[in-house]
Amino acid sequence: MAKITVDGVVYEVDPANNLLQECLSQGLDLPYFCWHPSLGSVGACRQCAVIQYRDAEDTQGTLVMSCMTPVTDGGIYSLAAEQASDFRADVIESLMTSHPHDCPVCEEGGECHLQDMTQMSGHNYRRFDKQKVTHRNQNLGPFINHEMNRCITCYRCVRFYDDYAGGTDLSAQASHHHTYFGRFEEGTLESEFSGNLVEVCPTGVFTDKPFSAQYTRKWDLQTAPSICNGCSVGCNITPGERYGTLRRVVNRYHNEINGYFLCDRGRFGAHYVNSESRLRSARDASGMSVSTTAIEERISEFTSEAVIGIGSPRASNEANFALRSFVGAENYFSGHSDAEHEALQVLIECLRDAAFHSPSVRQIEQADAILVLGEDVTNTAPRIALALRQSVRNEAKALAETSRIPNWQDAAVRELAQESLSPLAVFACGSTRLDDIATTKLNADQQTLIEASNALSERLAGRSPAYSQQTLGTTMQSVEATYTALMSAKKPLVICGTGAGAALMRCAANIARALSVSRSEVCDLVLLPKEDNSVGHALLTSKENTLSRALGRLANGEVKRAIVIENDLFERAPTALVKNALAAAELLVIDQIETPTQRYAALSIPSATFNECEVTKVNYEGRAQLSFQVGEGCDAAKPIERWLNVEGSAHSNSMIARCAAEASDFESLIDCLPDPLGRIAGLKVPRQSHRYSGRTAMHADRNVHEGKQPVDDNSVMSFSMEGMLTQKDSSVLASAWAPRWNSNQAISKFQAEINGELKQGHPGVHLIKRSLNGQAYEAENSVNKNLGDFEIRLVSHIFGSDTLSSHSPAIQKRLCDAYLALNKEDALELGLANGDFVSLGGAEDSIILPLIVRTQTPSGVALVYTGSSALGASINPHDLPESASLARVESEPSVHPTGLGLSNLVVNDAYSGAH
Amino acid sequence: MQQHVIASSSTNARLRARDLTAEEIAEIEHELTLYPTKQAVGLEALKIVQRHQGWVSDESMLAIADYLSVPVSELEGVATFFNLIFRRPVGDKVILFCDSVSCWIMGCDKVKKRLSEHLGIDYGETSAGGEYTLIPVPCLGDCDKAPVMMVGEKMHRNLSCESIDSLLPLSNAEGSK
Ligand code: SF4
Ligand code: SF4
Ligand code: FES
Ligand code: FES
């Protein structure tokens, strides 16, 4: 700790940081633009000027940029000194010379850092009367608007997009007063993290396009703390609601998980809740609507005989638990595919194992040697891929440390490090979106990946591995390089996921275990499931209760009734199996969206979406988090637990309490509630800002009488402007706001220190206690495949491979058709070129897909993307053979083209050569 | 039914790249031996292509980016940073006319007016026949002989309206590229 004096007041600060950051940590108001808590300092905007004094005698002082000034013990500074504040006012005046006066029509207005800083710096009268520089905007795709005239050239956008997120298609162009931030030419921004530009840009250059179409000012949005349901990372989000519809999603700071950034699936995928695909009313088998009372009666009678309940990884803990108690634990089955279920058993075993630790996203960023095995993280758990892009920079930070350059000196550290990266080994089948930062890439079929993993475990255990003849060269090199990297690292990390399959997950666990043994320490191991509550659902399901057993019992008539919650079984098991089972059963389906499963339902019942109820979910770490209701949405929809009307379901608090009391592993779930009594300091917490406008008039089109506000008995939150200010307790903070800080930068007022925990943070609870000392898994061996056949491997895409987000209209503009990919040589050998149709297996009813050449596909492997069910244009992945012969055919593909073709596909290895 | 299969806009864009000529490739290859990384050659490659083609078209940009495996948007950042990399076609002779302080004191405004009248173009424009392009530059470092302009490698010093009258038309030997 160092002591500094700012304007006569003494503060204790961290000498490792710069002066700006420390001033903000102390709650001081000091304007800035180019500095960002996650991006560090470059000293580009000159907005953060302060006076630094040599010593107590020095009355003159020197002007310094606080973001570029390390704090020194005993340092004396002034923010208020006239030279400093004049300078800041002048800087902003010059930044504003070409800025349009369009706040009233600018979507940033009201939450604009530029507005805040302009006010704070005291520039309130425009003297510049010359012509302003204007720019042409680009169409940047379905997510992001571009309004370049508003740019103040702080360079944050490219520093985030290129430097931080590894994007390649946004750049700073031209120079001085006509600097331009855009693409080489119009077109969709390709980075999976483009949406963060909306929050990173301190002005209205980059704004949220789907939000524009249903725009509402920040202060008019009803918000509540929520959790993304796009994948298993569990990023914290703030959805905003107005007039009963979800308007947008923005980042909600969580220092251990998402920090300041989300991925585009999370940000733009949530709009599925407003989409045409919502199941908006209950209907029977003939499509006739059914009254609420009739449904309730039917449900209450339903257990008069045995009922099979099939749960879901996209339903909450409470919904799954309610179903389990409704049908009885023995009749409650996994809603995961059998393969996923098996993989999740490995995941849960590893979560219980004391040899491993499951690092948070923040901790992943600290890893200095990483092995990613078989998983294309960018497409399955995107926020973690963004974290990995920071971990590889630990080498740069280490270099900087030896050169005594502080880490926050962003430009200097990058300049010093050039291309040096911390080791990242990617062992995968085909190209992944992290290949550009991989220092070791083993690109191979399943057999080789297993062999390499076994070899690596052997090597780590101090034995000499056996390699087969054909893989000896590259495999051995990759294994050796990875071995050295993991062993010499300070914080090694192994990542795998259910996308890679149970076999590779066991391999990953073996590698981590060998590492843990030989280093005599707990090893970081991340195993990623696919969906937001995969872990919660798997914890509630017994290991034996697989989906295929449930389907079997229904098909053979052993049990005649079934309830399926929030699940489309045609994504989970082979079509024939599902059809047989469902056709034989009397089926109730409760879901948020319409799915093909509902064609077999006697009753389809609408359930509440994530923003319409208060529930908990468990992320990949085993961390349970609470997600509050944001607003009222679909009238007919209720949370599943309330439809099932099980004991305790009337209130979410009591449901959570019951789940905690009865479900093993869920004891600490109760701690997710900020206060089980539903009050904080005796008050409810408003979902509406103190500036919320038009409340008395918002429904006047329907009724001139002001309606009663909905009452929320469930929660510490209320549908109101009154109550305890969230500003006082950040455990329930949805939208950061502080006097003079209307933009998202206000978050610094709620952090214990910049980039630190929220003052009253509520990080969620880790459910699983690690106690076991597990054993290594049997070494995996071979894959069965006929000679000449191609191994079929599934690939995921950030847009399309997730059910709910694929129903979002914005995401749908980014989807692409199902495809099969081969490398150039294999395609050539089969006489195939881009755009041809290929049949798998050659039988009459075999699956036919369009071909795309992806150059990195290992030979003998066919990668298949099964398309998006949301467009009704997917094949059931469980209908695919494990291997197949391929042949060119003239007939139509099995999946009707969506009209989107493959033009939206963003991969690193698409072959652009002529046919 | 044949489907058009192209993956991602960057791949799509790559298809529009022109082929670099053998000379261009040879010269770029030479530069590659002089720099530690491929990216570092970006500016030199742009200059090489401009020397051969007169300007740098989108198709050339895509070709260079592909050849050096750098993102084309990054290369665009380099190309547009430098005023003298031409991203639009220019005339056979590019006149770099100094309009900075010393030349201004010495009356370059009048000279520029005369020049514009002769050529029928203003700053940033190319004459109808594609012969001249006129571009302002800040200080050619020849202040003691102001006003000045440069065409190709050749400096024209101590300009006056009269000297403009006698200079024009510029001989073809003064090629600009
Ligand atoms: S576009 Fe926004 S983030 Fe980028 S430089 Fe301009 S103001 Fe800064
Ligand atoms: S990484 Fe996953 S949880 Fe985070 S925003 Fe993206 S989809 Fe949502
Ligand atoms: S914030 Fe310090 S110079 Fe921009
Ligand atoms: S000002 Fe014209 S040459 Fe220097």
Side-chain angles (χ1 to χ4, degrees), chain A residues 88-97 123 125 127-128:
Chain A
R88 296 196 299 263
D90 289 348
V91 166
I92 202 133
E93 182 167 15
S94 75
L95 288 178
M96 291 291 281
T97 50
H123 168 55
Y125 187 80
R127 292 183 293 172
F128 180 76

Side-chain angles (χ1 to χ4, degrees), chain B residues 98-104 138-143 146-148:
Chain B
C98 176
D99 66 350
S100 203
V101 182
S102 305
C103 291
W104 176 70
C139 192
L140 284 163
D142 228 356
C143 302
V148 299

